[in-house]
Amino acid sequence: MLPQMGAAAESLSKASSLVMRIGTDAHLYDDPDDVSIKPLLESRYDSEKVDALKRLLALIAQGADVSHFFPQVVKNVASHSLEVKKLVYLYLLHYAEKRQNEALLSINCFQKDLSDTNPLVRAWALRAMTGIRLHVVSPLILAAITKCARDPSPYVRKCAAYALPKLYNLHQEETSSLEQLVDVLLRDNSPAVVGSASVAFNAICPNNYPLISKHFRRLCEALPDVEEWSQIILIEILLRYTVARHGLVRESVLFADITRDSTFSSVMRRCYVEGHELWSGDGRGFEEVEMGTCKNEDVDLLLKCTAPLLWSQNSAVVLAAAGVHWIVGPAEEVKKIVKPILFLLRSSSAVKYVVLCNILAFAKAAPLLFDSFYEDFFISSSDSYQIKTIKLEILSTIATKSSVPFIFEEFQDYIRDPDRRFVADTVAVIGFIAKRLAVLAGTCLEGLLKLVLSEPLVSGSYQVEEEDGVLVQAIISIKSILKQDPSSHEKVIVRLVRNLDRIKNSASRALIIWIFGEYSSIGDVIPKIAPTVLKYLAWSFHSDEVEAKLQILNTCAKVTAKTKGNNKDSTLFKKILNYILQLATFDQNYDVRDRARFIRNLMGNETKNNLDIYRDLAESMFCTKPASSPYPSANIRVYLPGSLSQVVLHAAPGYTPLPKPGSAVIENPAGLDNSSDVDESEGSSPQYSTEDNRLGYDTGTEEMSENGEYEETPLVNISEANVDQGQTSQNDMSNFVSTDLSEMMSRSALESWLDETPCFSDGSFGQSRSQNVSTSNARVSFNDRNFKLKPRKSHALLEPANSDGLRISYSFSTEVSSVSPLLVCVDLLFENFAKETLRNINIRFEEASGSSISGPMDPVLEDSASMVSPDKIPTLLPMEEIPLLSPNETVKRILQLRFQHHLLPLKLHVLCNGKMYLGKLWPDIAYFLRPLSLDMNSFVEKEKQLPGMFECSRRCTFSDHLQELEQNEKISVNADKSLVVAHCFAVKILSSSNFYLVSMDMPVSLKPDDMSGLCLRFAGEVVNSSKPCLITVIAHGNLTEPLDVTVKLNSEDTVFGLNLLNRLLAIVQ
Amino acid sequence: MQQLQCIFLLSESSGEVMLEKQTTGHHVDRSICAWFWHQYHHHHNNDQMSVVTSPTHYLFPLIRHGIVFLACTQLELPPLLPIEFLSRFADILSDYLCAGAGVTLNEDIVKDNFVIVYEVLDEMMDNGFPLTTEPNLLKDIVLPPNLVTKVLHAVTGNSSPSVGPTLPHAAASTVPWRSTHPKTITNEIYVNLVEQLDASVNRDGNLRRCQVYGEIQVNSSLPGFPDLTLSFTNPLLLNDVRFHPCVRFRPWESSQVLSFVPPDGHFKLMTYRVKELKKIPIYVKPQLTSDSGNCRIYALVGVRNDPGKTIDSIIVEFQLPPCITSADLTSNHGTVDILADKTCRWSIGQIPKDKLPSLSGNLVLEPGLDRLHVAPTFQVRFKIMGIAMSGLQIDKLDVKNMPANPYKGFRAQTQAGDYEFRS
């Protein structure tokens, strides 16, 4: 090429690289801070903001700390430009944790964006909001996720699922609401969302098997459509569930006979299930724990649905699917995985290495699976050293008599590889194979000997460390083969010894000298050459290195000790030994001198009387062989297939072995999750219905009748909406609306009831009625409290499976404690499912010391004490012990507790038969209230005092009434529909919370089905702070459809209020 | 929680950290990069480590195009997940930044487009777990730079937004790989069989192993929601298969046909392996004889089983053993270069009709060494257009759900994979 052309080409390439840079952000990366960034951030133009943000990003990329721009950046979160938003989010996520206070400023914008019409904006807002990890706003985040989990866009729902683990990290304690959301998302129609939900499941509640049990079939069927990354996680979840539920499969490889080494597979089985730390050391009866089951439907389904994933383009999915087949698949199915995982070897070298690590573990347990595929483990010159060695190890494991000739032929080439480390490894593997397949020992020894004696290895002129490595390894291999059957390989020893003079490397010499000493009395030839060899050793002693010198000393001692009797040889040996000892005594190295002194004392002294003892000692020292074990089982490290731990060969943090087989007992496979409040499972606990069907306001009504002032309170109020409610008509109405609610129900619809004009003697009402008709916004309110409340939901404190048959379920009670107003009453129901009588049942708080209140206390004192210094320990009033509980008997107790936290569970110790079980009592915030009896006026007044920041409201839908209406349709045609709806509403809230129903306003409208304006008011007093808490529920929409409901809450205790609002929403929905 | 805590992009040559992206609250200090860099350079350079255990983190490096993609985690997670993710990320970056530019990804391009790299990475990963990795979908969310916007940017100084206006519908659809509004529709589909031939011949000249690793690469530009069926005349040939997520499993299980709704643009429909082939198209006969400190080398290259098409871009490479001090090599055809790492590269091109290319020369051994006791392996690279060496043949491609019949193009090519001759 001409020089000028070369120059032209060069400038051309320069020009083209310049063209490449045009229009990129190159200058921003090169000089991010060549302008002042702050004014740009405050600019009015989006383009300048973008420029500034890009500069900040460049600085982050280069590792500079630009967190001091946080206040300026966070302002831009409100920008409408998507690009600005994205860049701001990138910045925020990087620094939010450092600048928590400023990051709070962005929350409002996120919340606004969450209602944007563009799903991408909603998704980004949610991701950023959850990504900034602010502990203080976790209730808001939970609300945001809850909202997004029901978003119409699957992408947003997917992001909601991804957000759950982030919230969980902030707030590890409170999982029940997160688990509910996982449940909701697992039900999703879109496979992408289901996949992300499984990722969340794995992070939040990986052991919640009942939840998987509910969805198992659907999840299996969705598996092929789920995104590849989620597939990896979902496969693992399903595998763990299957093992926990059904145990290991007896037909699987882990039990089967195709394993050559049954100890290995049983060790593997243990490792999978228990992990290393637990079992190593004591070999306790593991076999009893595990439950092998025959294959069943679930296992079959799982295998069927994971089988096609062996064709996935994602190697992680293939390996995960292979892992499932390996662990729960019957042995004949496992063959399926072999080809797909071998095909993975034709991927990048990183993938190759990981897959090989797993194959090695598989091959050790079931070498027969792989033995015909030995060619796939042949080395290619592009393999890295790591990969080469692991391939060799696999080859040594799977080699059989029929494949060994081919493998050895291949090894012939490896021996000549320029990488001598690899050659040494190959030589070692030859030794392993020969040890395992004794038939081959002769051939192997021949080959190795040839290698040892080949010219470049032994020639002293060319000495490289790596070369020595090969030589030493070859001799070690020979040594290990000889050990199996020394007598039949006598000639090999002789040949080695005869070549001793040619071998210069001291480690190799030491090894050969050891071999000679060890087998000096074997066969016919060796004893004959022994004198000559010893003479040679004595001659070469001074020129040898330390390693070899020590071995010469040992060997001489050994040979001498082994020669019995007083023949010619024996005296010769003694002479030589003495000579060598003498040389050694004056050696420069003190190890050699020490060894010589030791041997001299042991053997050199013939004058001593107790000669025999020394001789025996020497003999036992030199001539007995320690028993060797092929697999010291504690050294086998096996982890679950596909795990990081299997690659790095130690349990990585976060590694969990499989659950205990059969540990998950799911009583109702159709799946009702006890802790899930969304489920309408009231009907499933009929045993409570009789006791719980009492009126909701025992205490409340009692108080009122004592006060006496409520006796005249009418059951129905009719008032005008636009005048201040409750102020006007209460007294006027009282005359004519003293009817009982049930009586009213028997009448016709509300309108017809209103039309009975003769009742309306009062003129003012007539006026208001005419207004009603024209504006249709007047209301009718009820103050009736005779609702048939639904049985309260009960939760399990203790399951019979965990506690020898004792089942304790709890439900929150509306009763007010007689001891202190701070205590919440919980009804406990003890049931004995066991066949024997249970004794001495009692409940204690986990921290036994000084936590329970010793006796009744002055409530006022207690109250004030808690105001001053709130004692953070939840307290528990001692329960009356249940001395005896015979089988199938049930006993009820009331437990009085004081909760300090609204969300954290209370850990309780249940004592029974002298044993102690741990139970968790989940607080229900809706019962941390006392009913507060207010009339309409004082309610409105109180509400006015709690505006702004004390007020929060949220929306949801209510559809329970639809069912109710359907039922009522059949019973009576006359029943007023809107009344039913209102009734339904009140029952819903009152049966799962402890409120006082202040008023129930009915819409009065021309359209019979329009429910807009239905308004219920509830009041309560927070147990801990005695602050009032007011709830207003307003409904909109048509009664034949789900109603749109706004729940408003006014309370001074805002944190409590937020949590309570969430709970109420869950109740309503 | 299976999550990656951080992803770093390092320059392979200098170790400079070009970019860091923290994905969780636990920030990973970038000093881990220096640690890794030290390990990478001071341990055996040619050993690519797939999982590195550092004192604080587990590292997953991927080295491609002179860039080290380094993922860090502290907790157990399936190691193939980060490995696959990084390689997907590298592919997508190449596609974003280099498509059509005729260059391969390099550190300068990454630096110049760091904003896009950040934006793409942020969409691809949320909280340390892969979020959106489908290239078509990503391109709708983060717009790839194109010439028009670049020039506009250069002229006006205003950068056009790199972020898509709204969420693509595909994100919500059941076929997330297909965007619903493909930009330009030419109504064409090209199917390309790309095969790599692995072969290994031992020093006696016996073929020890010969297999084909193939990919079916498709470039689709079809409107609407096309439903395609691809069938082979000899599917039983296929030993192993792996599919793009768009391929339906059932039809393959029952009748070995590929039924799928294709994504737009380039994608890899299927990879396969055909084992135990008996014929190799090209051979090398190396001979090495050595005595008294010298080694004479003679290598011959020829065509064995003529595939019927021209064999192109033939290159023979071998590594000179470390004990060789100097080499003098000549050839009767093509050029011989000895590279810095002692790789000897003999570029032949095409084999001429009139003579067999041969390489001969003399190697001088280290002083003190009489004979060469190690044997270099000769690796061959070549390319044959228009033929699939496995013999796999596409029977037909049926297109359903389409208004007009599209143009269908089929091609095939074979190149050398691990194709080596031991001496």
Side-chain angles (χ1 to χ4, degrees), chain A residues 735-755:
Chain A
N735 303 327
F736 69 92
V737 277
S738 55
T739 45
D740 191 275
L741 186 72
S742 55
E743 204 185 316
M744 210 183 73
M745 296 273 281
S746 64
R747 294 192 185 190
S748 60
L750 190 65
E751 273 90 355
S752 64
W753 179 70
L754 281 169
D755 278 341

Side-chain angles (χ1 to χ4, degrees), chain A residues 939-986:
Chain A
F939 184 95
V940 173
E941 217 158 286
K942 280 238 157 72
E943 198 178 3
K944 275 182 188 162
Q945 290 165 3
L946 297 168
M949 61 175 290
F950 299 120
E951 183 176 300
C952 48
S953 66
R954 280 183 47 200
R955 304 174 67 162
C956 63
T957 53
F958 179 74
S959 48
D960 271 28
H961 62 282
L962 298 176
Q963 216 181 342
E964 194 80 11
L965 282 175
E966 214 167 274
Q967 282 177 4
N968 272 28
E969 203 113 336
K970 289 166 203 158
I971 303 163
S972 66
V973 200
N974 296 343
D976 179 48
K977 283 181 184 167
S978 46
L979 197 63
V980 172
V981 174
H983 190 245
C984 192
F985 232 118

Side-chain angles (χ1 to χ4, degrees), chain A residues 769-1056:
Chain A
R769 191 180 69 98
S770 64
Q771 213 172 354
N772 290 348
V773 177
S774 57
T775 61
S776 77
N777 61 354
R779 276 127 202 224
V780 179
S781 50
F782 302 84
N783 279 354
D784 172 67
R785 267 164 225 100
N786 293 339
F787 295 119
K788 281 233 153 69
L789 295 185
K790 288 187 185 172
R792 293 191 309 274
K793 182 146 174 54
S794 85
H795 314 265
L797 179 66
L798 207 61
E799 285 291 349
N802 307 332
S803 61
D804 300 339
L806 177 67
R807 181 194 162 106
I808 308 179
S809 41
Y810 64 91
S811 54
F812 282 85
S813 148
T814 52
E815 276 171 52
V816 169
S817 164
S818 53
V819 180
S820 156
L822 290 174
L823 297 175
V824 175
C825 293
V826 178
D827 293 336
L828 292 180
L829 194 74
F830 296 78
E831 283 170 279
N832 186 355
F833 280 90
K835 298 210 172 83
E836 286 122 46
T837 309
L838 300 170
R839 283 160 208 287
N840 301 342
I841 304 169
N842 205 345
I843 290 190
R844 294 242 181 87
F845 181 59
E846 200 187 13
E847 283 165 60
S849 61
S851 58
S852 54
I853 304 168
S854 48
M857 267 193 182
D858 186 355
V860 183
L861 246 178
E862 170 66 21
D863 199 352
S864 59
S866 80
M867 299 288 260
V868 178
S869 60
D871 180 12
K872 280 291 164 197
I873 308 159
T875 48
L876 162 75
L877 212 62
M879 190 192 76
E880 189 190 333
E881 190 178 87
I882 302 173
L884 274 180
L885 192 67
S886 39
N888 295 327
E889 196 190 348
T890 57
V891 168
K892 225 189 115 190
R893 283 280 185 276
I894 293 172
L895 197 65
Q896 303 195 23
L897 292 157
R898 179 169 161 207
F899 288 90
Q900 285 291 354
H901 200 285
H902 313 135
L903 304 169
L904 293 185
L906 206 60
K907 286 181 188 154
L908 296 176
H909 282 167
V910 180
L911 302 173
C912 170
N913 284 355
K915 288 187 201 165
M916 194 163 71
Y917 307 98
L918 191 69
K920 277 188 182 175
L921 197 94
W922 291 94
D924 186 344
I925 193 166
Y927 285 96
F928 293 178
L929 293 157
R930 283 186 295 274
L932 180 67
S933 48
L934 292 174
D935 60 14
M936 198 59 206
N937 286 346
S938 39
F939 184 95
V940 173
E941 217 158 286
K942 280 238 157 72
E943 198 178 3
K944 275 182 188 162
Q945 290 165 3
L946 297 168
M949 61 175 290
F950 299 120
E951 183 176 300
C952 48
S953 66
R954 280 183 47 200
R955 304 174 67 162
C956 63
T957 53
F958 179 74
S959 48
D960 271 28
H961 62 282
L962 298 176
Q963 216 181 342
E964 194 80 11
L965 282 175
E966 214 167 274
Q967 282 177 4
N968 272 28
E969 203 113 336
K970 289 166 203 158
I971 303 163
S972 66
V973 200
N974 296 343
D976 179 48
K977 283 181 184 167
S978 46
L979 197 63
V980 172
V981 174
H983 190 245
C984 192
F985 232 118
V987 167
K988 184 88 194 175
I989 291 189
L990 291 178
S991 47
S992 44
S993 66
N994 201 4
F995 275 111
Y996 171 74
L997 177 61
V998 175
S999 76
M1000 191 156 86
D1001 291 359
M1002 302 285 291
V1004 178
S1005 126
L1006 284 178
K1007 282 173 270 172
D1009 285 351
D1010 187 18
M1011 284 304 287
S1012 298
L1014 173 69
C1015 171
L1016 289 92
R1017 294 187 181 81
F1018 302 88
E1021 206 171 33
V1022 184
V1023 166
N1024 272 352
S1025 58
S1026 298
K1027 283 175 185 153
C1029 179
L1030 311 175
I1031 307 284
T1032 315
V1033 182
I1034 298 166
H1036 292 280
N1038 200 312
L1039 62 72
T1040 52
E1041 287 158 18
L1043 292 174
D1044 205 0
V1045 177
T1046 310
V1047 183
K1048 194 179 73 162
L1049 185 142
N1050 295 62
S1051 170
E1052 245 177 279
D1053 195 341
T1054 44
V1055 180
F1056 181 88

Side-chain angles (χ1 to χ4, degrees), chain B residues 273-310:
Chain B
R273 178 159 75 158
V274 180
K275 282 171 84 173
E276 283 167 25
L277 294 170
K278 297 283 174 256
K279 288 176 178 175
I280 51 170
I282 203 169
Y283 69 91
V284 177
K285 265 190 196 155
Q287 288 177 337
L288 282 92
T289 48
S290 61
D291 55 39
S292 56
N294 278 302
C295 176
R296 274 172 308 285
I297 186 164
Y298 181 77
L300 201 66
V301 176
V303 176
R304 184 163 280 165
N305 306 293
D306 192 351
K309 306 267 180 187
T310 346

